């Protein structure tokens, strides 16, 4: 599907910003991907394959690329990606009305991410292989990604065939607890778990066309869920905390229009309202994983020092590690 055709279709499908300020009549129920039943995952995978066949992965990779420099490194980051996720979900629901975007609870796998079931043939596939770094199992095995040019989906883990440890549940919860407003929350999330997962998978995930990889959508749904967890920790204040600056240093607030969409940020702030018609199966805690006694007694060990490879110029300063 040509991008111009996709643009017309997307404009017709989305249209969220024009909706009145209202409570949604129904919400897409977003679940952790491993909690989907076999039938639910089969339906989800079939929907995603149809979206690929009709050019939608190409389209969303294009939109992300076109807006890349104004939607990162500023307080636009969280509301813009919430809108972006909802557009993707809305397109999926045109193919399958019950489609809901799952998320990957990455902190559940922080100690050994490469061993996660999510990164296996059962779900999103694992590391790329050979000099081409093509992913040869899982959902996108055999897919030809067409943006910015035809190529296989590529991944290159940051430690050979393994992934360096990421951020523990306790660490992420500490970021949420310490953040009193959007100016504090956004960099805490963007430059920790957000950047860590992009860097961990490499390949398409460290390019501005990272939406080619379905893990992008799983990952950003979890980032959005963590924002919702933070919002719920102090609802009276956090649901309407949007102040900050854009990439030009210009102040932004609830009435600021999102780049590309032109919707005001206020429409993005409250899941279940104003077109943000989705909910999460867990928005009360960082993760639902139950830690063992051994894990609890070891959680205060010093976090391993991670040496990151040089980044392409394209993403320098965006996919950062807050501890580096």
């Amino acid at each position: 599907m040509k991008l111009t055709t996709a643009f017309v279709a997307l404009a017709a499908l989305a249209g969220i910003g024009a909706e009145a300020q209202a409570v949604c009549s129904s919400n897409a129920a977003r679940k952790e991907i491993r909690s989907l039943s076999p039938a639910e995952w089969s339906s989800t995978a079939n929907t995603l394959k149809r979206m690929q066949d009709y050019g939608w992965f190409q389209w969303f990779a294009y939109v992300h690329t076109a807006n890349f420099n104004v939607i990162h490194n500023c307080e636009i980051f969280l509301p813009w990606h919430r809108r972006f996720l909802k557009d993707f979900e809305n397109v999926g629901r045109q193919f399958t009305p019950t489609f809901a975007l799952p998320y990957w609870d990455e902190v559940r796998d922080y100690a050994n991410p490469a061993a996660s079931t999510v990164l296996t043939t059962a779900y999103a596939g694992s590391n790329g292989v050979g000099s081409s770094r093509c992913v040869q199992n899982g959902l996108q095995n055999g897919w030809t990604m067409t943006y910015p040019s035809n190529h296989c989906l590529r991944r290159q883990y940051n430690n050979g065939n393994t992934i360096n440890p990421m951020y523990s549940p306790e660490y992420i919860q500490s970021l949420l607890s310490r953040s009193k407003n959007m100016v504090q929350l956004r960099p805490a999330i963007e430059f920790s778990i957000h950047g860590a997962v992009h860097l961990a998978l490499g390949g398409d995930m460290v390019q501005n066309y990272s939406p080619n990889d379905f893990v992008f959508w799983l990952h950003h749904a979890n980032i959005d869920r963590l924002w919702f967890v933070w919002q719920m920790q102090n609802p009276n204040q956090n649901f309407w905390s949007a102040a900050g600056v854009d990439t030009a240093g210009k102040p932004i607030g609830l009435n600021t229009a999102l780049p590309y969409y032109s919707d005001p940020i206020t429409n993005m702030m409250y899941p279940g309202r104003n077109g943000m018609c989705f909910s999460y199966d867990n928005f009360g805690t960082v993760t639902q994983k139950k830690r063992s006694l051994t894990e609890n007694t070891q959680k205060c060990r010093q976090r391993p020092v991670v040496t990151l490879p040089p980044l392409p110029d394209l993403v320098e300063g965006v996919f950062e590690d807050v501890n580096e």
Side-chain angles (χ1 to χ4, degrees), residues 98-120:
T98 57
F99 176 76
L101 185 60
Y103 65 91
W104 175 23
D105 179 4
E106 301 113 339
V107 297
R108 175 173 160 184
D109 303 308
Y110 81 96
N112 187 7
S116 172
T117 307
V118 176
L119 299 179
T120 68

Side-chain angles (χ1 to χ4, degrees), residues 19 22-27 271-278:
E19 294 183 11
V23 175
C24 297
S25 59
S26 63
N27 292 305
R273 297 185 182 182
N274 307 331
M276 296 295 100
C277 300
F278 63 88

Side-chain angles (χ1 to χ4, degrees), residues 186-321:
R186 189 275 308 170
I189 292 296
E190 186 178 5
F191 300 144
S192 62
I193 187 172
H194 166 254
V197 173
H198 278 277
L199 288 169
L201 269 66
D204 280 31
M205 278 287 279
V206 291
Q207 303 299 324
N208 53 10
Y209 47 86
S210 51
N212 277 337
D213 193 330
F214 181 57
V215 172
F216 170 95
W217 300 98
L218 296 174
H219 174 45
H220 272 272
N222 193 49
I223 295 298
D224 186 75
R225 184 186 68 86
L226 292 174
W227 179 24
F228 193 19
V229 171
W230 178 78
Q231 289 180 306
M232 291 295 292
Q233 290 181 354
N234 187 358
N236 290 337
Q237 174 178 308
N238 293 351
F239 270 111
W240 310 113
S241 179
V245 296
D246 62 17
T247 53
K250 181 180 177 180
I252 65 172
L254 290 170
N255 292 323
T256 299
L258 290 175
Y260 171 69
Y261 292 113
S262 298
D263 295 350
I265 287 176
T266 188
N267 283 8
M268 309 304 119
M269 300 303 290
Y270 208 122
R273 297 185 182 182
N274 307 331
M276 296 295 100
C277 300
F278 63 88
S279 62
Y280 289 101
D281 61 354
N282 175 26
F283 52 83
T285 60
V286 165
T287 181
Q288 289 183 321
K289 179 185 178 184
K290 292 180 172 61
R291 299 176 65 106
S292 68
L293 178 61
T294 301
E295 287 178 305
N296 286 332
T297 58
Q298 295 180 345
K299 68 184 180 183
C300 293
R301 291 185 303 175
Q302 184 176 359
R303 184 172 178 268
V305 175
V306 177
T307 301
L308 299 175
L311 300 184
D313 291 340
L314 190 63
V315 296
E316 188 72 55
V318 175
F319 301 140
E320 298 182 11
D321 187 315

Side-chain angles (χ1 to χ4, degrees), residues 3-45:
L3 291 180
T4 51
T5 305
F7 175 80
V8 173
L10 185 64
L13 289 174
I16 303 174
E19 294 183 11
Q21 303 282 315
V23 175
C24 297
S25 59
S26 63
N27 292 305
R30 297 179 182 174
K31 301 178 181 179
E32 213 280 337
I33 187 169
R34 288 164 287 196
S35 72
L36 297 177
S37 70
E40 287 173 328
W41 171 240
S42 178
S43 176
T44 298

Side-chain angles (χ1 to χ4, degrees), residues 20 25 42-43 50 63 103 134 146 160 162 171 233 256 323:
S25 59
S42 178
S43 176
R50 294 186 68 190
V63 170
Y103 65 91
C134 293
T146 57
T162 64
Y171 185 85
Q233 290 181 354
T256 299
N323 286 337

